[in-house]
Amino acid sequence: MDRTGGIPISERGHRYYDEEDFLKAYLSRRSLVDNANDTLEKPVMLELIGNPEGLRILDLGCGDARFGAELLERNCASYTGLEGSKAMSELARRTLAGTAGTVILGSMEDWSYPQASCDLVLSRLALHYVEHLEAVLARIVQSLKPGGRLVFSVEHPVITSTLQPSGTRTDWTVDRYFDEGFREQQWLGSTVKKMHRTLEHYFSALQAAGLQVESLRESNPVRERFHSADAYERRRRIPLFLFFSASRPSL
Ligand SMILES: C[S@@+](CC[C@H](N)C(=O)[O-])C[C@H]1O[C@@H](n2cnc3c(N)ncnc32)[C@H](O)[C@@H]1O
């Protein structure tokens, strides 16, 4: 156990991204035509974030920070990516070279967050690796300025409930939905652990952290975002991602 009472650093969700074959498989999946991130996840994140101009942004589990480069191009005031995997953080450093963005190698669970200095904390598909959401939310809240916002995506609880081997999904069994905890999945050639929480848990944890929930979204597909009609039809069957936007009350 570490000092936050969660799983040791060496077993946290960022370790998979330090496995060479896993990282290669992950990056290659992200570049497929009609990949789920670009067709389903990123558009909703952009809608929830709105205009990033002038915002001081912290991105938890930033991956290769390509999103950070885009936000900087759109004139955010600052961008800091926190990334737990060394290999990913090096990719992120390369992506942000020559920009004002910075990358920090560290875990969301125990990094020393800046106090009341962020306008926007975002996290894309990383919080479902965290065991104690409440502990991380408390840190996020402290890092937000009054009126600042948290916007994040996670794998949908319908998916994390069962975590069958990934592949082309045409139907899905939801099981043990109310038994929260880590589930194992065969994913990209590795055995990966993701934390299953109910939708109600995400919602209540945000409220309990003192945040005002502003939006709850799901990855409802939009036809124009897909090259393939079949891929679009398939994505109408099973929700992959869940999104929240919540704000720290103004003083
Ligand atoms: C699915 S990837 C998403 C990357 C990026 N946010 C994106 O959407 O392109 C999840 C990322 O979260 C990082 N991660 C997972 N658990 C983490 C933790 N506890 N602290 C920091 N980073 C973590 C992983 O190393 C990985 O880069």
Side-chain angles (χ1 to χ4, degrees):
M1 297 281 267
D2 73 340
R3 67 193 158 87
T4 60
I7 50 176
I9 290 186
S10 59
E11 288 173 29
R12 290 187 195 154
H14 42 76
R15 73 190 152 118
Y16 311 112
Y17 297 82
D18 276 327
E19 294 168 13
E20 198 179 328
D21 289 346
F22 182 89
L23 181 58
K24 227 191 239 171
Y26 171 78
L27 293 172
S28 122
R29 170 149 327 180
R30 286 290 308 259
S31 61
L32 292 177
V33 173
D34 283 346
N35 71 78
N37 302 70
D38 292 338
T39 53
L40 298 172
E41 192 265 347
K42 186 177 172 188
V44 179
M45 284 298 288
L46 287 171
E47 280 175 29
L48 291 177
I49 289 169
N51 184 359
E53 198 174 330
L55 300 184
R56 297 175 62 83
I57 299 178
L58 172 64
D59 183 358
L60 304 177
C62 68
D64 63 10
R66 261 185 278 178
F67 197 50
E70 287 180 35
L71 295 167
L72 286 159
E73 269 173 32
R74 295 181 58 200
N75 298 320
C76 66
S78 70
Y79 173 86
T80 303
L82 179 72
E83 174 50 52
S85 145
K86 192 162 189 301
M88 266 298 199
S89 69
E90 276 158 18
L91 290 179
R93 215 153 269 142
R94 260 180 262 159
T95 307
L96 296 179
T99 74
T102 51
V103 185
I104 291 163
L105 175 61
S107 260
M108 281 187 258
E109 289 88 336
D110 46 21
W111 180 56
S112 297
Y113 288 63
Q115 297 295 299
S117 62
C118 302
D119 298 296
L120 173 68
V121 174
L122 69 92
S123 183
R124 296 180 61 194
L125 300 177
L127 283 167
H128 53 250
Y129 290 108
V130 166
E131 184 174 17
H132 297 301
L133 180 64
E134 285 75 2
V136 173
L137 286 177
R139 289 162 183 261
I140 292 172
V141 170
Q142 284 167 16
S143 74
L144 286 169
K145 291 180 188 165
R149 290 190 308 141
L150 166 65
V151 176
F152 70 92
S153 62
V154 284
E155 287 199 6
H156 200 290
V158 158
I159 296 293
T160 55
S161 72
T162 332
L163 284 182
Q164 299 145 33
S166 67
T168 303
R169 295 171 174 128
T170 51
D171 59 16
W172 192 256
T173 303
V174 175
D175 197 7
R176 295 170 54 221
Y177 182 81
F178 292 104
D179 296 340
E180 298 188 311
F182 277 115
R183 307 280 206 263
E184 285 192 351
Q185 180 187 34
Q186 297 309 310
W187 191 48
L188 305 174
S190 284
T191 305
V192 175
K193 273 193 196 171
K194 293 176 186 167
M195 188 70 190
H196 169 62
R197 278 180 270 269
T198 61
L199 197 152
E200 181 176 320
H201 184 154
Y202 279 110
F203 195 96
S204 320
L206 290 166
Q207 287 187 323
L211 292 164
Q212 283 171 343
V213 178
E214 290 171 344
S215 301
L216 182 163
R217 297 281 302 275
E218 292 173 303
S219 46
N220 192 351
V222 172
R223 176 66 187 94
E224 293 70 41
R225 296 182 183 142
F226 290 79
H227 291 87
S228 151
D230 287 351
Y232 165 71
E233 286 302 334
R234 189 162 63 80
R235 293 305 190 198
R236 295 195 57 73
R237 301 178 75 136
I238 303 151
L240 292 194
F241 306 121
L242 173 68
F243 307 81
F244 284 95
S245 159
S247 63
R248 180 175 178 175
S250 303
L251 292 173

